[in-house]
Amino acid sequence: MPRGLGYGRRVTEPTSTFSSAVSAWLEWRDSPWGRLGNTVVAANLDRHLAPWGPTPLRVLDLAGGDGSHVLPLAARGHHVTVVDYAPAMLAAARDRAAAAGVAERVTTVEADMTDLPASLLDAGYDVVLCHNFLQYVDDVTPALTAVAAAVRPGGLVSVLAANRHYAPLAAAVRDGDPGAALAALDSRRGWAEVFGTALTLHTAEEVIAVMAGLGCTGIRHYGVRSFCDHLAEDRREDDPGFHAAMERLELAVTDRPPYMHTARAFQLIARRHAG
C-alpha cells in the first residue's frame, strides 16, 4: 500500500494528475491506516462540534476530494458542500453520498479553492475544512485566506496538512536511512506516492501563525498518525485486534506532546473571531 505523504491537489498541477489517480486514492483511503487516520481526524473535530449538539450545521470542505472527511457529518444530519477542481474526485463524492443515503444533504462544486465563487464566500458556513491541501502549495496564505473568508464569525475551522517534522524521523526509524533523515532536517520537500507529485512540507507552528493573523482564535494542535506510519512494511495492519489497539493509542496521543509534533500530519482546529 502506498505511503504517500498526502492527498488532495496542488494548484499548479493539472486536474488530470488527481483525476487519474482516483482509484489509487480510494484504495488508500479504505486501507487500515487510511481509515485510522480518518477516525482520529473525526474524533478531534467532534470535540469542537459537541457544544453545538444535534443542531444541523452547514459544512464546507475545500479541496475535499471524495468527501471522506465530511460525508460522515452528512450522515449525522449536517448539510455539506464539497469543493474540488478534479471532476473525478467529485464524482466519487457523489457516488459515496448516494451509497450512504445522504445525497440530499451533499452538494459538490467544481472550483479552485483559492478562487471560490462569490456564492460560497457569501454563505457564511458554520464549519470549514481544509484537509490535505496545504502540502500542495508553497504559500499557504491564499488558501487559508479563502478558509477564513468562507466561515462565519464564531464558526469552526479545521486544517489538516502533512507535517514537515515527520519526515526526518520516518527516514531514520521506518526506512533505516540516517543520511536521508539528516537531509530532511533542512528540507521542505516531500513526495505524494499516491498522486506522484511533489509536496511542500509545512509545520504546525508556521500555519498557526498565519491562521492567527487571519482572525482564528483558540487554535488547538493535534497530531494524526503519530505511530502507525513508523512501522515496517510487514506491519500487522490487517489484524483487527492490532488495528484496534493502534487506534486506541493514536487517539490517546493526538493532543499529547511530544507525539503530536512528530505525527505524520497535523490538524489545527480554531474559531473565527466573532468580533
Side-chain angles (χ1 to χ4, degrees):
M1 178 57 59
R3 290 177 177 264
L5 280 173
Y7 37 90
R9 62 161 181 79
R10 181 187 176 98
V11 290
T12 56
E13 294 286 348
T15 304
S16 59
T17 297
F18 301 98
S19 293
S20 63
V22 169
S23 295
W25 159 240
L26 295 179
E27 181 184 0
W28 163 246
R29 183 207 66 203
D30 291 332
S31 71
W33 292 162
R35 289 185 282 107
L36 187 152
N38 281 356
T39 295
V40 175
V41 169
N44 293 337
L45 190 58
D46 280 347
R47 299 187 190 194
H48 299 264
L49 293 177
W52 278 324
T55 303
L57 302 173
R58 300 175 65 253
V59 182
L60 178 65
D61 190 5
L62 296 176
D66 71 326
S68 58
H69 285 153
V70 289
L71 291 182
L73 296 178
R76 288 157 53 180
H78 303 302
H79 300 275
V80 306
T81 298
V82 182
V83 175
D84 204 278
Y85 87 153
M89 285 290 188
L90 294 176
R94 290 191 293 270
D95 289 345
R96 293 189 62 217
V102 296
E104 73 281 0
R105 290 194 292 276
V106 177
T107 301
T108 61
V109 177
E110 184 179 336
D112 187 321
M113 71 164 288
T114 59
D115 187 21
L116 293 174
S119 58
L120 295 182
L121 291 175
D122 295 339
Y125 286 87
D126 300 303
V127 183
V128 176
L129 276 57
C130 179
H131 287 180
N132 298 303
F133 174 82
L134 297 186
Q135 57 261 37
Y136 296 96
V137 294
D138 292 330
D139 182 3
V140 303
T141 301
L144 294 176
T145 299
V147 172
V151 68
R152 67 169 175 79
L156 197 68
V157 169
S158 176
V159 175
L160 179 72
N163 179 22
R164 191 195 312 162
H165 294 318
Y166 161 84
L169 189 60
V173 174
R174 188 194 69 198
D175 301 331
D177 190 342
L182 183 61
L185 289 174
D186 297 312
S187 175
R188 295 173 57 87
R189 298 303 171 189
W191 183 257
E193 295 176 15
V194 171
F195 292 114
T197 189
L199 302 175
T200 298
L201 303 179
H202 307 283
T203 68
E205 295 79 6
E206 293 168 344
V207 176
I208 286 171
V210 177
M211 291 175 64
L214 292 170
C216 293
T217 62
I219 303 172
R220 292 289 304 274
H221 176 190
Y222 301 97
V224 177
R225 286 161 45 198
S226 298
F227 291 101
C228 64
D229 285 276
H230 294 300
L231 301 181
E233 287 294 344
D234 60 350
R235 59 191 184 270
R236 295 176 288 159
E237 62 180 78
D238 293 315
D239 178 338
F242 183 76
H243 184 277
M246 183 60 72
E247 182 178 289
R248 290 193 294 271
L249 174 62
E250 295 283 358
L251 289 169
V253 301
T254 184
D255 63 345
R256 182 178 298 189
Y259 311 104
M260 64 192 194
H261 297 291
T262 55
R264 181 165 200 154
F266 58 82
Q267 183 178 10
L268 305 173
I269 302 179
R271 297 277 182 184
R272 181 185 168 192
H273 190 269

